[in-house]
Amino acid sequence: MTFATTDSSEKVASVHSKIESALRGELDEKWGMVLDEWPDAAQSQRKAVRAYVSGLRNRMYRTLMEIDSLEELERGVGIQYVEVKAHWMMLNTQIQHQTDRNGRAADDLIYRATCVSLIVQALEPLLSQTRVDSLTNFLAEPFDE
């Protein structure tokens, strides 16, 4: 039994390491590159977008790092993926409606959505392609009554 626990602990540690890499690795650098492309933004606007996405990422990271069961950790990654992908989809819906109404969406909204999409992209390699496809299809389904 000790062997199974050790084996499981090593697998959890491995998944935690992959989560750390995905959410703490190059993500901040990528956000920086995206936000540097925002030509008319004040520094305070860039900071606000970075704080927004950092808060989202940090909450997800802390939650996943608290889980010490492999099964729950795998489920947690999937749940966090669904949450952040749904969040990104809602930001895009808001962008579309602002564009339809005003001819243009607010820049901060566009940059928030872009940075959130980078979190989605960072989480995808932690899931199998089959799981990503399944969750994406689930989110794309219309809600019937």
Side-chain angles (χ1 to χ4, degrees), residues 123-136:
L123 287 176
E124 283 182 348
L126 301 176
L127 301 165
S128 69
Q129 189 59 50
T130 302
R131 178 62 52 102
V132 169
D133 293 343
S134 171
L135 295 173
T136 298

Side-chain angles (χ1 to χ4, degrees), residues 35-87:
L35 294 172
D36 285 346
E37 294 176 10
W38 189 0
D40 302 328
Q43 190 61 26
S44 62
Q45 290 174 297
R46 287 186 181 98
K47 279 182 155 182
V49 170
R50 186 177 283 275
Y52 178 86
V53 293
S54 291
L56 181 63
R57 182 264 320 265
N58 292 343
R59 182 184 49 77
M60 293 170 58
Y61 175 79
R62 281 190 309 269
T63 300
L64 291 171
M65 297 307 276
E66 287 288 322
I67 300 171
D68 59 6
S69 155
L70 186 60
E71 182 179 316
E72 289 297 318
L73 187 55
E74 290 172 349
R75 181 173 309 155
V77 170
I79 291 168
Q80 292 295 324
Y81 178 78
V82 167
E83 180 184 349
V84 74
K85 180 102 176 205
H87 188 87

